[in-house]
Amino acid sequence: MRIHGEAVRFGVHSGQQYESFGACLELWQRAEALGYDWVSLFDHLRPPLGGPGGPCLEGPTLLAALAARTRRVRCGLLVLAVPNRHPASVAAIAATLDHVSGGRLELGLGSGGPDLMYDQFGLERPAPADRAVMLDETCRVVRSLWTRESTDFRGRHYTLDGAHLAPKPLQPHIPLVLGGAGSGVLRAAARHADIWNTLPGTPEAYRRMCAALGEHCDEAGRDAADIRQSITFRAVLAEDEKEAMRRREALLGHLPPDSPLLDEYLSFGTPESCVADLAPYAALGARDFILGARPPVDWTTVELVATRVTPALRQMVEGSSGSDR
């Protein structure tokens, strides 16, 4: 069965490109107070969007500190890059985070995206085919270490002999969130994911991604409906269209015209237009909507998504589900 059922959840993907812990903590605590269901970090050390010398706090360490200073909101990583750590270390990090958070962790795993750390720190980045295998093996190893008394594993990249992990996570089943749209990630998601997260692109592009995931689920003998769909998007909102367009122009003036960040913006306008922009993805099965919020934080959009977009989309989806019954 799909984890969290058919409930619509909204979250904030804060990242950690902040100059101080306090700035990131403020966003997490305000997001929790606004009623968001989820807040997350990523796992880059040198994210390209920050430039070669931009600020970036370390992910799992920061997540532990933020989890300890929040009480209700689900705590996520979008996503931990599996080539950077041995699966046993990933399992131990996650179990510790689950204890620190009081059982609120949702662990994102991915094959590892662009990161300036490989060149800056002289680290080797495995080939895509190897990273896809590492992702699959990591999913298998962490789930085994979380649930079994002892784990033996023989894979292409990892070997465990009588491996133990204690204490186990507080949650009987930590949700695994697999992030990405490449064939290797989709194949691993079909086998292991509780939640699949991606950037949405256009509705038609998202439809194709969902269809590809469904094909991999058929191959794995799994019902695609059991995997919760999650999208990460960005938006610039205001109370009226004129102000929203003014804020949009200010953003475009700040970002270079070839910035990859622009592709992540799904909505410019009022809360009502944002609901209309998100509706096609809800119709295609998305139930988690994660608002990207890089510094400087756009508090207007963060608050309008929480107070206006979230209840309206929930009513739309729940009303549709009710009429289907």
Side-chain angles (χ1 to χ4, degrees):
M1 296 180 63
R2 179 182 292 195
I3 196 165
H4 304 306
E6 288 296 309
V8 171
R9 300 194 304 170
F10 271 79
V12 172
H13 183 49
S14 73
Q16 57 258 31
Q17 293 176 272
Y18 299 84
E19 295 283 356
S20 69
F21 169 66
C24 195
L25 176 63
E26 179 187 12
L27 176 55
W28 275 59
Q29 292 183 330
R30 285 182 65 174
E32 183 170 62
L34 283 166
Y36 279 100
D37 304 291
W38 151 297
V39 192
S40 56
L41 305 175
F42 50 63
D43 191 39
H44 293 288
L45 288 177
R46 298 278 88 216
L49 285 174
C56 185
L57 298 164
E58 199 277 333
T61 307
L62 180 61
L63 185 58
L66 295 167
R69 300 284 291 272
T70 52
R71 293 291 175 264
R72 176 195 55 80
V73 73
R74 301 288 287 179
C75 304
L77 275 170
L78 279 180
V79 289
L80 188 149
V82 297
N84 299 351
R85 299 175 184 81
H86 191 281
S89 178
V90 173
I93 289 169
T96 302
L97 287 168
D98 203 46
H99 278 265
V100 171
S101 68
R104 292 180 286 130
L105 178 68
E106 301 197 7
L107 180 67
L109 298 176
S111 58
D115 196 317
L116 300 179
M117 72 175 184
Y118 295 106
D119 290 334
Q120 289 192 12
F121 302 158
L123 301 176
E124 181 180 354
R125 188 183 186 203
D130 289 326
R131 286 186 276 127
V133 175
M134 289 176 170
L135 178 59
D136 180 79
E137 292 185 359
T138 295
C139 290
R140 293 158 61 190
V141 168
V142 298
R143 188 63 77 192
S144 179
L145 286 170
W146 288 338
T147 58
R148 297 180 181 177
E149 181 179 349
S150 176
T151 293
D152 296 307
F153 183 83
R154 298 286 184 277
R156 187 187 305 177
H157 295 279
Y158 308 111
T159 299
L160 285 79
D161 290 309
H164 293 261
L165 178 66
K168 301 297 186 188
L170 290 181
Q171 296 178 88
H173 186 92
I174 291 179
L176 277 183
V177 187
L178 267 66
S183 59
V185 171
L186 293 178
R187 189 174 297 110
R191 296 171 180 165
H192 307 292
D194 298 295
I195 303 170
W196 165 59
N197 172 268
T198 188
L199 298 173
T202 65
E204 184 52 40
Y206 186 67
R207 185 190 303 275
R208 290 194 297 269
M209 287 187 280
C210 292
L213 177 63
E215 291 174 1
H216 287 299
C217 284
D218 290 342
E219 294 170 2
R222 188 178 181 194
D223 186 350
D226 289 343
I227 300 175
R228 186 175 180 86
Q229 294 170 219
S230 166
I231 63 170
T232 301
F233 72 100
R234 298 186 189 274
V236 173
L237 304 184
E239 291 284 359
D240 60 75
E241 289 286 352
K242 183 177 180 179
E243 176 63 12
M245 291 305 101
R246 187 196 67 77
R247 301 185 71 233
R248 178 181 185 273
E249 292 306 312
L251 171 72
L252 296 178
H254 175 70
L255 293 175
D258 59 347
S259 171
L261 193 64
L262 290 172
D263 292 337
E264 299 180 14
Y265 280 87
L266 191 63
S267 188
F268 295 95
T270 64
E272 292 73 22
S273 65
C274 184
V275 173
D277 291 334
L278 293 175
Y281 302 94
L284 290 168
R287 291 296 179 267
D288 283 354
F289 300 89
I290 313 300
L291 174 67
R294 294 178 72 246
V297 176
D298 178 357
W299 292 111
T300 297
T301 296
V302 169
E303 292 179 4
L304 286 174
V305 168
T307 59
R308 301 270 294 279
V309 176
T310 298
L313 193 70
R314 279 180 175 153
Q315 184 177 26
M316 177 185 296
V317 172
E318 291 170 3
S320 174
S321 298
S323 64
D324 290 343
R325 291 193 297 268

